[in-house]
PDB file of all heavy atoms in Angstrom:
ATOM      1  N   GLY A  83    -187.785 -21.898-125.358  1.00 89.00           N
ATOM      2  CA  GLY A  83    -189.150 -21.831-124.956  1.00 89.00           C
ATOM      3  C   GLY A  83    -189.681 -23.022-124.202  1.00 89.00           C
ATOM      4  O   GLY A  83    -190.904 -23.025-123.877  1.00 89.00           O
ATOM      5  N   ASP A  84    -188.903 -24.044-123.856  1.00 93.00           N
ATOM      6  CA  ASP A  84    -189.352 -25.175-123.108  1.00 93.00           C
ATOM      7  C   ASP A  84    -190.612 -25.769-123.792  1.00 93.00           C
ATOM      8  O   ASP A  84    -191.660 -26.013-123.162  1.00 93.00           O
ATOM      9  CB  ASP A  84    -189.728 -24.836-121.679  1.00 93.00           C
ATOM     10  CG  ASP A  84    -188.491 -24.468-120.876  1.00 93.00           C
ATOM     11  OD1 ASP A  84    -187.398 -25.057-121.098  1.00 93.00           O
ATOM     12  OD2 ASP A  84    -188.537 -23.550-120.011  1.00 93.00           O
ATOM     13  N   PHE A  85    -190.540 -26.014-125.109  1.00 95.00           N
ATOM     14  CA  PHE A  85    -191.727 -26.427-125.827  1.00 95.00           C
ATOM     15  C   PHE A  85    -192.173 -27.807-125.439  1.00 95.00           C
ATOM     16  O   PHE A  85    -193.363 -28.000-125.089  1.00 95.00           O
ATOM     17  CB  PHE A  85    -191.468 -26.438-127.323  1.00 95.00           C
ATOM     18  CG  PHE A  85    -192.578 -26.923-128.194  1.00 95.00           C
ATOM     19  CD1 PHE A  85    -193.762 -26.200-128.337  1.00 95.00           C
ATOM     20  CD2 PHE A  85    -192.514 -28.199-128.759  1.00 95.00           C
ATOM     21  CE1 PHE A  85    -194.814 -26.658-129.064  1.00 95.00           C
ATOM     22  CE2 PHE A  85    -193.577 -28.693-129.505  1.00 95.00           C
ATOM     23  CZ  PHE A  85    -194.738 -27.929-129.658  1.00 95.00           C
ATOM     24  N   PHE A  86    -191.264 -28.799-125.444  1.00 95.00           N
ATOM     25  CA  PHE A  86    -191.678 -30.137-124.999  1.00 95.00           C
ATOM     26  C   PHE A  86    -191.782 -30.263-123.521  1.00 95.00           C
ATOM     27  O   PHE A  86    -190.832 -29.920-122.798  1.00 95.00           O
ATOM     28  CB  PHE A  86    -190.680 -31.158-125.566  1.00 95.00           C
ATOM     29  CG  PHE A  86    -190.693 -31.332-127.056  1.00 95.00           C
ATOM     30  CD1 PHE A  86    -189.574 -30.986-127.821  1.00 95.00           C
ATOM     31  CD2 PHE A  86    -191.851 -31.782-127.692  1.00 95.00           C
ATOM     32  CE1 PHE A  86    -189.582 -31.112-129.173  1.00 95.00           C
ATOM     33  CE2 PHE A  86    -191.860 -31.921-129.090  1.00 95.00           C
ATOM     34  CZ  PHE A  86    -190.753 -31.575-129.829  1.00 95.00           C
ATOM     35  N   THR A  87    -192.880 -30.690-123.010  1.00 95.00           N
ATOM     36  CA  THR A  87    -193.097 -30.853-121.583  1.00 95.00           C
ATOM     37  C   THR A  87    -193.399 -32.307-121.251  1.00 95.00           C
ATOM     38  O   THR A  87    -193.818 -33.073-122.151  1.00 95.00           O
ATOM     39  CB  THR A  87    -194.277 -29.963-121.124  1.00 95.00           C
ATOM     40  OG1 THR A  87    -195.432 -30.247-121.944  1.00 95.00           O
ATOM     41  CG2 THR A  87    -193.939 -28.478-121.264  1.00 95.00           C
ATOM     42  N   SER A  88    -193.307 -32.669-119.997  1.00 94.00           N
ATOM     43  CA  SER A  88    -193.412 -34.098-119.600  1.00 94.00           C
ATOM     44  C   SER A  88    -194.770 -34.668-119.926  1.00 94.00           C
ATOM     45  O   SER A  88    -194.894 -35.882-120.169  1.00 94.00           O
ATOM     46  CB  SER A  88    -193.088 -34.249-118.094  1.00 94.00           C
ATOM     47  OG  SER A  88    -193.971 -33.447-117.337  1.00 94.00           O
ATOM     48  N   ASP A  89    -195.813 -33.872-119.938  1.00 94.00           N
ATOM     49  CA  ASP A  89    -197.159 -34.411-120.207  1.00 94.00           C
ATOM     50  C   ASP A  89    -197.343 -34.797-121.670  1.00 94.00           C
ATOM     51  O   ASP A  89    -198.322 -35.465-121.968  1.00 94.00           O
ATOM     52  CB  ASP A  89    -198.230 -33.383-119.813  1.00 94.00           C
ATOM     53  CG  ASP A  89    -198.248 -32.140-120.724  1.00 94.00           C
ATOM     54  OD1 ASP A  89    -197.213 -31.483-120.822  1.00 94.00           O
ATOM     55  OD2 ASP A  89    -199.272 -31.893-121.375  1.00 94.00           O
ATOM     56  N   MET A  90    -196.386 -34.410-122.498  1.00 95.00           N
ATOM     57  CA  MET A  90    -196.516 -34.769-123.953  1.00 95.00           C
ATOM     58  C   MET A  90    -196.107 -36.238-124.197  1.00 95.00           C
ATOM     59  O   MET A  90    -196.365 -36.729-125.334  1.00 95.00           O
ATOM     60  CB  MET A  90    -195.661 -33.851-124.801  1.00 95.00           C
ATOM     61  CG  MET A  90    -196.160 -32.406-124.807  1.00 95.00           C
ATOM     62  SD  MET A  90    -195.095 -31.407-125.935  1.00 95.00           S
ATOM     63  CE  MET A  90    -195.880 -29.802-125.812  1.00 95.00           C
ATOM     64  N   ALA A  91    -195.454 -36.867-123.274  1.00 95.00           N
ATOM     65  CA  ALA A  91    -195.127 -38.276-123.485  1.00 95.00           C
ATOM     66  C   ALA A  91    -196.359 -39.113-123.684  1.00 95.00           C
ATOM     67  O   ALA A  91    -197.277 -39.053-122.895  1.00 95.00           O
ATOM     68  CB  ALA A  91    -194.326 -38.821-122.298  1.00 95.00           C
ATOM     69  N   GLY A  92    -196.429 -39.838-124.793  1.00 94.00           N
ATOM     70  CA  GLY A  92    -197.609 -40.602-125.154  1.00 94.00           C
ATOM     71  C   GLY A  92    -198.515 -39.936-126.173  1.00 94.00           C
ATOM     72  O   GLY A  92    -199.384 -40.540-126.725  1.00 94.00           O
ATOM     73  N   MET A  93    -198.258 -38.625-126.464  1.00 96.00           N
ATOM     74  CA  MET A  93    -199.079 -37.908-127.431  1.00 96.00           C
ATOM     75  C   MET A  93    -198.500 -38.133-128.858  1.00 96.00           C
ATOM     76  O   MET A  93    -197.409 -38.684-129.010  1.00 96.00           O
ATOM     77  CB  MET A  93    -199.146 -36.425-127.117  1.00 96.00           C
ATOM     78  CG  MET A  93    -199.867 -36.103-125.786  1.00 96.00           C
ATOM     79  SD  MET A  93    -200.055 -34.342-125.522  1.00 96.00           S
ATOM     80  CE  MET A  93    -200.729 -34.309-123.872  1.00 96.00           C
ATOM     81  N   ILE A  94    -199.265 -37.671-129.830  1.00 96.00           N
ATOM     82  CA  ILE A  94    -198.887 -37.748-131.232  1.00 96.00           C
ATOM     83  C   ILE A  94    -198.180 -36.462-131.648  1.00 96.00           C
ATOM     84  O   ILE A  94    -198.656 -35.353-131.265  1.00 96.00           O
ATOM     85  CB  ILE A  94    -200.082 -38.021-132.117  1.00 96.00           C
ATOM     86  CG1 ILE A  94    -200.713 -39.344-131.729  1.00 96.00           C
ATOM     87  CG2 ILE A  94    -199.686 -38.038-133.595  1.00 96.00           C
ATOM     88  CD1 ILE A  94    -199.899 -40.562-131.939  1.00 96.00           C
ATOM     89  N   ILE A  95    -197.083 -36.526-132.407  1.00 96.00           N
ATOM     90  CA  ILE A  95    -196.447 -35.389-132.971  1.00 96.00           C
ATOM     91  C   ILE A  95    -196.434 -35.460-134.474  1.00 96.00           C
ATOM     92  O   ILE A  95    -196.157 -36.502-135.063  1.00 96.00           O
ATOM     93  CB  ILE A  95    -194.980 -35.226-132.397  1.00 96.00           C
ATOM     94  CG1 ILE A  95    -194.355 -33.900-132.924  1.00 96.00           C
ATOM     95  CG2 ILE A  95    -194.152 -36.393-132.727  1.00 96.00           C
ATOM     96  CD1 ILE A  95    -193.010 -33.574-132.311  1.00 96.00           C
ATOM     97  N   GLU A  96    -196.807 -34.363-135.093  1.00 96.00           N
ATOM     98  CA  GLU A  96    -196.746 -34.259-136.594  1.00 96.00           C
ATOM     99  C   GLU A  96    -195.597 -33.374-137.011  1.00 96.00           C
ATOM    100  O   GLU A  96    -195.439 -32.246-136.530  1.00 96.00           O
ATOM    101  CB  GLU A  96    -198.088 -33.652-137.068  1.00 96.00           C
ATOM    102  CG  GLU A  96    -198.147 -33.520-138.606  1.00 96.00           C
ATOM    103  CD  GLU A  96    -199.338 -32.790-139.083  1.00 96.00           C
ATOM    104  OE1 GLU A  96    -200.215 -32.416-138.275  1.00 96.00           O
ATOM    105  OE2 GLU A  96    -199.487 -32.618-140.341  1.00 96.00           O
ATOM    106  N   ILE A  97    -194.765 -33.930-137.868  1.00 95.00           N
ATOM    107  CA  ILE A  97    -193.601 -33.211-138.407  1.00 95.00           C
ATOM    108  C   ILE A  97    -193.973 -32.759-139.837  1.00 95.00           C
ATOM    109  O   ILE A  97    -194.491 -33.566-140.638  1.00 95.00           O
ATOM    110  CB  ILE A  97    -192.369 -34.094-138.460  1.00 95.00           C
ATOM    111  CG1 ILE A  97    -191.984 -34.544-137.014  1.00 95.00           C
ATOM    112  CG2 ILE A  97    -191.173 -33.336-139.066  1.00 95.00           C
ATOM    113  CD1 ILE A  97    -190.807 -35.491-136.985  1.00 95.00           C
ATOM    114  N   SER A  98    -193.772 -31.505-140.114  1.00 94.00           N
ATOM    115  CA  SER A  98    -194.056 -30.967-141.461  1.00 94.00           C
ATOM    116  C   SER A  98    -192.989 -29.945-141.817  1.00 94.00           C
ATOM    117  O   SER A  98    -192.200 -29.487-141.004  1.00 94.00           O
ATOM    118  CB  SER A  98    -195.430 -30.385-141.501  1.00 94.00           C
ATOM    119  OG  SER A  98    -195.545 -29.281-140.591  1.00 94.00           O
ATOM    120  N   ASP A  99    -192.925 -29.580-143.103  1.00 92.00           N
ATOM    121  CA  ASP A  99    -192.091 -28.506-143.610  1.00 92.00           C
ATOM    122  C   ASP A  99    -190.593 -28.837-143.425  1.00 92.00           C
ATOM    123  O   ASP A  99    -189.773 -27.956-143.274  1.00 92.00           O
ATOM    124  CB  ASP A  99    -192.393 -27.153-142.911  1.00 92.00           C
ATOM    125  CG  ASP A  99    -193.808 -26.713-143.118  1.00 92.00           C
ATOM    126  OD1 ASP A  99    -194.377 -27.020-144.158  1.00 92.00           O
ATOM    127  OD2 ASP A  99    -194.338 -26.044-142.215  1.00 92.00           O
ATOM    128  N   ASN A 100    -190.239 -30.134-143.452  1.00 92.00           N
ATOM    129  CA  ASN A 100    -188.841 -30.532-143.400  1.00 92.00           C
ATOM    130  C   ASN A 100    -188.299 -30.708-144.795  1.00 92.00           C
ATOM    131  O   ASN A 100    -189.091 -31.056-145.679  1.00 92.00           O
ATOM    132  CB  ASN A 100    -188.665 -31.777-142.542  1.00 92.00           C
ATOM    133  CG  ASN A 100    -187.193 -32.093-142.333  1.00 92.00           C
ATOM    134  OD1 ASN A 100    -186.678 -33.093-142.887  1.00 92.00           O
ATOM    135  ND2 ASN A 100    -186.575 -31.306-141.467  1.00 92.00           N
ATOM    136  N   VAL A 101    -187.034 -30.443-144.950  1.00 90.00           N
ATOM    137  CA  VAL A 101    -186.436 -30.528-146.253  1.00 90.00           C
ATOM    138  C   VAL A 101    -186.430 -31.968-146.831  1.00 90.00           C
ATOM    139  O   VAL A 101    -186.419 -32.167-148.031  1.00 90.00           O
ATOM    140  CB  VAL A 101    -184.971 -30.018-146.264  1.00 90.00           C
ATOM    141  CG1 VAL A 101    -184.938 -28.545-145.987  1.00 90.00           C
ATOM    142  CG2 VAL A 101    -184.140 -30.761-145.210  1.00 90.00           C
ATOM    143  N   ALA A 102    -186.492 -32.943-145.919  1.00 90.00           N
ATOM    144  CA  ALA A 102    -186.589 -34.328-146.392  1.00 90.00           C
ATOM    145  C   ALA A 102    -188.061 -34.775-146.284  1.00 90.00           C
ATOM    146  O   ALA A 102    -188.584 -34.991-145.174  1.00 90.00           O
ATOM    147  CB  ALA A 102    -185.708 -35.227-145.499  1.00 90.00           C
ATOM    148  N   PRO A 103    -188.772 -34.917-147.408  1.00 91.00           N
ATOM    149  CA  PRO A 103    -190.182 -35.263-147.371  1.00 91.00           C
ATOM    150  C   PRO A 103    -190.469 -36.593-146.617  1.00 91.00           C
ATOM    151  O   PRO A 103    -191.563 -36.698-146.049  1.00 91.00           O
ATOM    152  CB  PRO A 103    -190.539 -35.371-148.842  1.00 91.00           C
ATOM    153  CG  PRO A 103    -189.512 -34.573-149.592  1.00 91.00           C
ATOM    154  CD  PRO A 103    -188.286 -34.723-148.794  1.00 91.00           C
ATOM    155  N   ALA A 104    -189.504 -37.487-146.588  1.00 92.00           N
ATOM    156  CA  ALA A 104    -189.753 -38.764-145.904  1.00 92.00           C
ATOM    157  C   ALA A 104    -189.938 -38.574-144.414  1.00 92.00           C
ATOM    158  O   ALA A 104    -190.512 -39.386-143.684  1.00 92.00           O
ATOM    159  CB  ALA A 104    -188.644 -39.710-146.177  1.00 92.00           C
ATOM    160  N   ASN A 105    -189.431 -37.435-143.871  1.00 93.00           N
ATOM    161  CA  ASN A 105    -189.551 -37.210-142.405  1.00 93.00           C
ATOM    162  C   ASN A 105    -190.940 -36.681-142.030  1.00 93.00           C
ATOM    163  O   ASN A 105    -191.320 -36.835-140.855  1.00 93.00           O
ATOM    164  CB  ASN A 105    -188.517 -36.176-141.966  1.00 93.00           C
ATOM    165  CG  ASN A 105    -187.106 -36.674-142.052  1.00 93.00           C
ATOM    166  OD1 ASN A 105    -186.880 -37.881-142.061  1.00 93.00           O
ATOM    167  ND2 ASN A 105    -186.117 -35.786-142.100  1.00 93.00           N
ATOM    168  N   ASN A 106    -191.606 -36.084-142.973  1.00 94.00           N
ATOM    169  CA  ASN A 106    -192.914 -35.509-142.686  1.00 94.00           C
ATOM    170  C   ASN A 106    -193.938 -36.605-142.350  1.00 94.00           C
ATOM    171  O   ASN A 106    -193.994 -37.634-143.024  1.00 94.00           O
ATOM    172  CB  ASN A 106    -193.388 -34.616-143.795  1.00 94.00           C
ATOM    173  CG  ASN A 106    -192.488 -33.407-143.999  1.00 94.00           C
ATOM    174  OD1 ASN A 106    -191.919 -32.899-143.042  1.00 94.00           O
ATOM    175  ND2 ASN A 106    -192.365 -32.938-145.233  1.00 94.00           N
ATOM    176  N   GLY A 107    -194.769 -36.368-141.366  1.00 94.00           N
ATOM    177  CA  GLY A 107    -195.783 -37.344-140.985  1.00 94.00           C
ATOM    178  C   GLY A 107    -195.980 -37.378-139.471  1.00 94.00           C
ATOM    179  O   GLY A 107    -195.496 -36.467-138.736  1.00 94.00           O
ATOM    180  N   GLU A 108    -196.747 -38.358-138.998  1.00 96.00           N
ATOM    181  CA  GLU A 108    -197.043 -38.448-137.585  1.00 96.00           C
ATOM    182  C   GLU A 108    -196.223 -39.524-136.909  1.00 96.00           C
ATOM    183  O   GLU A 108    -195.971 -40.578-137.481  1.00 96.00           O
ATOM    184  CB  GLU A 108    -198.541 -38.783-137.408  1.00 96.00           C
ATOM    185  CG  GLU A 108    -199.474 -37.613-137.750  1.00 96.00           C
ATOM    186  CD  GLU A 108    -200.901 -37.868-137.315  1.00 96.00           C
ATOM    187  OE1 GLU A 108    -201.269 -39.034-137.131  1.00 96.00           O
ATOM    188  OE2 GLU A 108    -201.679 -36.885-137.218  1.00 96.00           O
ATOM    189  N   TYR A 109    -195.832 -39.239-135.669  1.00 96.00           N
ATOM    190  CA  TYR A 109    -195.070 -40.159-134.829  1.00 96.00           C
ATOM    191  C   TYR A 109    -195.671 -40.126-133.404  1.00 96.00           C
ATOM    192  O   TYR A 109    -196.440 -39.227-133.113  1.00 96.00           O
ATOM    193  CB  TYR A 109    -193.597 -39.795-134.770  1.00 96.00           C
ATOM    194  CG  TYR A 109    -192.921 -39.767-136.160  1.00 96.00           C
ATOM    195  CD1 TYR A 109    -193.027 -38.595-136.981  1.00 96.00           C
ATOM    196  CD2 TYR A 109    -192.259 -40.857-136.666  1.00 96.00           C
ATOM    197  CE1 TYR A 109    -192.415 -38.571-138.184  1.00 96.00           C
ATOM    198  CE2 TYR A 109    -191.639 -40.839-137.893  1.00 96.00           C
ATOM    199  CZ  TYR A 109    -191.772 -39.698-138.705  1.00 96.00           C
ATOM    200  OH  TYR A 109    -191.156 -39.674-139.928  1.00 96.00           O
ATOM    201  N   GLU A 110    -195.274 -41.054-132.601  1.00 96.00           N
ATOM    202  CA  GLU A 110    -195.672 -41.025-131.180  1.00 96.00           C
ATOM    203  C   GLU A 110    -194.468 -40.642-130.320  1.00 96.00           C
ATOM    204  O   GLU A 110    -193.346 -41.075-130.546  1.00 96.00           O
ATOM    205  CB  GLU A 110    -196.168 -42.393-130.727  1.00 96.00           C
ATOM    206  CG  GLU A 110    -196.651 -42.467-129.320  1.00 96.00           C
ATOM    207  CD  GLU A 110    -197.132 -43.812-128.892  1.00 96.00           C
ATOM    208  OE1 GLU A 110    -197.344 -44.662-129.740  1.00 96.00           O
ATOM    209  OE2 GLU A 110    -197.318 -44.008-127.656  1.00 96.00           O
ATOM    210  N   ILE A 111    -194.737 -39.768-129.304  1.00 96.00           N
ATOM    211  CA  ILE A 111    -193.621 -39.344-128.400  1.00 96.00           C
ATOM    212  C   ILE A 111    -193.487 -40.405-127.317  1.00 96.00           C
ATOM    213  O   ILE A 111    -194.418 -40.665-126.552  1.00 96.00           O
ATOM    214  CB  ILE A 111    -193.935 -37.975-127.780  1.00 96.00           C
ATOM    215  CG1 ILE A 111    -194.105 -36.918-128.888  1.00 96.00           C
ATOM    216  CG2 ILE A 111    -192.876 -37.570-126.789  1.00 96.00           C
ATOM    217  CD1 ILE A 111    -194.479 -35.568-128.341  1.00 96.00           C
ATOM    218  N   ILE A 112    -192.354 -41.056-127.304  1.00 96.00           N
ATOM    219  CA  ILE A 112    -192.097 -42.141-126.313  1.00 96.00           C
ATOM    220  C   ILE A 112    -191.554 -41.596-125.018  1.00 96.00           C
ATOM    221  O   ILE A 112    -191.765 -42.114-123.967  1.00 96.00           O
ATOM    222  CB  ILE A 112    -191.172 -43.226-126.903  1.00 96.00           C
ATOM    223  CG1 ILE A 112    -191.103 -44.435-126.005  1.00 96.00           C
ATOM    224  CG2 ILE A 112    -189.814 -42.693-127.196  1.00 96.00           C
ATOM    225  CD1 ILE A 112    -192.304 -45.258-125.963  1.00 96.00           C
TER     226      ILE A 112
END
């Protein structure tokens, strides 16, 4: 589906529903 697009660089991404709870949270797309 071409989800990630070039304009997303610099935006915030939230990861959720992962089997490793430590992965869940917010990160910045570099």
Side-chain angles (χ1 to χ4, degrees):
D84 294 324
F85 176 73
F86 291 117
T87 54
S88 59
D89 69 299
M90 292 182 180
M93 295 187 186
I94 300 296
I95 182 171
E96 180 185 358
I97 300 176
S98 60
D99 301 328
N100 188 251
V101 294
N105 292 340
N106 295 329
E108 288 189 342
Y109 303 84
E110 183 181 347
I111 300 176
I112 188 73

